[in-house]
Amino acid sequence: MGALAFLLGLVFGIACTDRPESSEEPGTASAEVSDVPAATFDIRAVTLDARDRPSDDVLDAIASLGASDITLIPFGFQETPHTPAIRRHTDGGWYSESTRGIRDLASRAAARDLGVILKPHIWIGHYSADGQERDAIGFDAEGDWASWEVEYREFMLYYARLAEEVDARALVIGCELNRAVRERPAFWRSLIAEVRSVYDGKLTYAANWSEDLRQIEFWDALDYVGVQAYFPLVHDSTRGDSVTVEQLQAGWDRHAHQLEAIHRATGRPLLFTELGYRSDPDAARAPWRWPEDGEKVEPDPAMQARCYRAFFQALGSANWLGGAIVWKWHPEPESKRPTGFTPQNKPAAAILRQGFGAAG
């Protein structure tokens, strides 16, 4: 383990706690926003996920939040964590994932003074309610590692060139690839150098908040320390209406000094590459958890709004935080996702408008 990884390990070891389109204005539901400060960080982004070409109303709604950027996620497809081939599907799939869609959305975003962040992901096999296994990608044989690295380099350089073409503000060079970043740091340094030879924007890597964040040895080669910021804010027994904004702020305070220590150790600002909360009673306890298919969960949009309010109140002016990317926005009416992550047409949208500086 390198010296930086060792230092971050000490920090965490001491401090850790455990499809019709809608044109409705965001934030139509009532929300108390008077105590939400406008954030001082630079990147105020929203991930856009669109099966078909979204209407202008969708981009207008994101811009009206005060967002600085939209984030788009193309995919590379890998059969299993232990098969090295990566397939690109650049002209198919959902519109916001395709090359043509990225080019079009970047142009339309620019017309609204919105930048673009590209965040390519690896998709493993088929959808599983238990989540993806990107963290397990790895090999026992050196030859398989070498094959995967060739495939991943081609995958990422494709999107680096596309990021340069569309003048993307930032490119995320990997997401939650815990084993690969832990075991192959030299590959990542080499990849970063190659990406910089074709793309001149900002670079980061999206580390899982609970694992590879503290193990990465190449933060110094990047512009941001990227964090998938699904930090638990309350204990297991706390949920729903019993959770106060003050408790949520205290939950952030328990994590904030760890994150500031990473900033000091790396000399890099942090970027929350995903920040999201579901509209259900357990949103603060396990923010990363997707409701299972068929699971009966009562929608709780007020819980989602409190989580965002606590984030802005706790970290909105943190000098070590470079920005946050909200997970996520859909063109479809929210009635399809009453307990989902999207804040659109929920009280959380009004909180975002205030926190992003569009309101008040």
Side-chain angles (χ1 to χ4, degrees), residues 237-261:
S237 60
T238 314
R239 65 196 303 270
D241 290 341
S242 65
V243 180
T244 68
V245 173
E246 291 72 24
Q247 286 175 304
L248 297 172
Q249 283 187 255
W252 270 118
D253 289 342
R254 289 192 294 271
H255 299 295
H257 69 282
Q258 305 166 32
L259 298 171
E260 185 175 8

Side-chain angles (χ1 to χ4, degrees), residues 152-357:
Y152 194 85
R153 179 179 285 107
E154 292 177 356
F155 167 68
M156 190 52 58
L157 286 174
Y158 177 89
Y159 287 107
R161 294 184 181 97
L162 181 58
E164 180 69 14
E165 175 188 334
V166 302
D167 195 25
R169 175 180 187 142
L171 173 68
V172 183
I173 63 162
C175 180
E176 298 177 341
L177 301 170
N178 302 28
R179 182 179 172 188
V181 298
R182 185 177 67 249
E183 296 186 19
R184 312 291 288 192
F187 163 72
W188 291 94
R189 287 191 178 276
S190 172
L191 175 64
I192 291 164
E194 289 187 73
V195 167
R196 289 201 187 277
S197 73
V198 299
Y199 170 66
D200 64 2
K202 301 295 187 181
L203 296 181
T204 189
Y205 167 84
N208 187 302
W209 69 271
S210 64
E211 294 179 23
D212 57 323
L213 175 61
R214 75 192 84 166
Q215 300 170 332
I216 290 173
E217 300 181 22
F218 50 83
W219 288 128
D220 60 296
L222 298 170
D223 300 294
Y224 295 99
V225 172
V227 188
Q228 303 281 85
Y230 296 108
F231 296 92
L233 302 179
V234 295
H235 298 298
D236 287 350
S237 60
T238 314
R239 65 196 303 270
D241 290 341
S242 65
V243 180
T244 68
V245 173
E246 291 72 24
Q247 286 175 304
L248 297 172
Q249 283 187 255
W252 270 118
D253 289 342
R254 289 192 294 271
H255 299 295
H257 69 282
Q258 305 166 32
L259 298 171
E260 185 175 8
I262 293 173
H263 162 66
R264 291 197 303 267
T266 62
R268 299 291 184 269
L270 274 69
L271 173 62
F272 288 173
T273 47
E274 287 181 19
L275 174 73
Y277 300 97
R278 302 180 320 281
S279 304
D280 82 35
D282 285 329
R285 181 181 64 82
W288 61 87
R289 185 172 174 273
W290 292 66
E292 307 245 352
D293 288 342
E295 182 180 2
K296 300 297 183 183
V297 178
E298 189 68 23
D300 191 350
M303 180 76 254
Q304 181 190 46
R306 288 198 297 277
C307 288
Y308 277 114
R309 187 190 308 174
F311 163 70
F312 285 111
Q313 292 180 179
L315 299 185
S317 60
N319 60 12
W320 47 264
L321 184 60
I325 302 173
V326 170
W327 186 269
K328 62 183 176 174
W329 199 270
H330 302 270
E332 299 86 356
E334 175 45 34
S335 59
K336 291 188 176 183
R337 296 179 176 85
T339 62
F341 281 90
T342 182
Q344 66 206 78
N345 302 318
K346 299 176 184 177
I351 303 295
L352 286 171
R353 283 178 59 84
Q354 189 79 12
F356 279 176

Side-chain angles (χ1 to χ4, degrees), residues 7-17 257-258:
L7 174 58
L8 298 183
L10 286 179
V11 169
F12 273 79
I14 293 170
C16 271
T17 64
H257 69 282
Q258 305 166 32

Side-chain angles (χ1 to χ4, degrees), residues 92-165:
W94 287 30
Y95 190 78
S96 59
E97 303 166 5
S98 67
T99 297
R100 71 183 186 281
I102 290 169
R103 287 172 173 150
D104 172 61
L105 288 167
S107 175
R108 293 161 66 195
R112 294 162 173 81
D113 293 324
L114 290 168
V116 169
I117 296 171
L118 288 191
K119 186 171 179 274
H121 283 201
I122 295 294
W123 186 275
I124 303 293
H126 301 288
Y127 176 76
S128 166
D130 295 327
Q132 287 288 298
E133 296 181 292
R134 290 185 291 268
D135 62 320
I137 290 175
F139 309 92
D140 295 328
E142 178 62 26
D144 288 336
W145 269 120
S147 295
W148 183 82
E149 288 171 356
V150 168
E151 297 268 334
Y152 194 85
R153 179 179 285 107
E154 292 177 356
F155 167 68
M156 190 52 58
L157 286 174
Y158 177 89
Y159 287 107
R161 294 184 181 97
L162 181 58
E164 180 69 14
E165 175 188 334

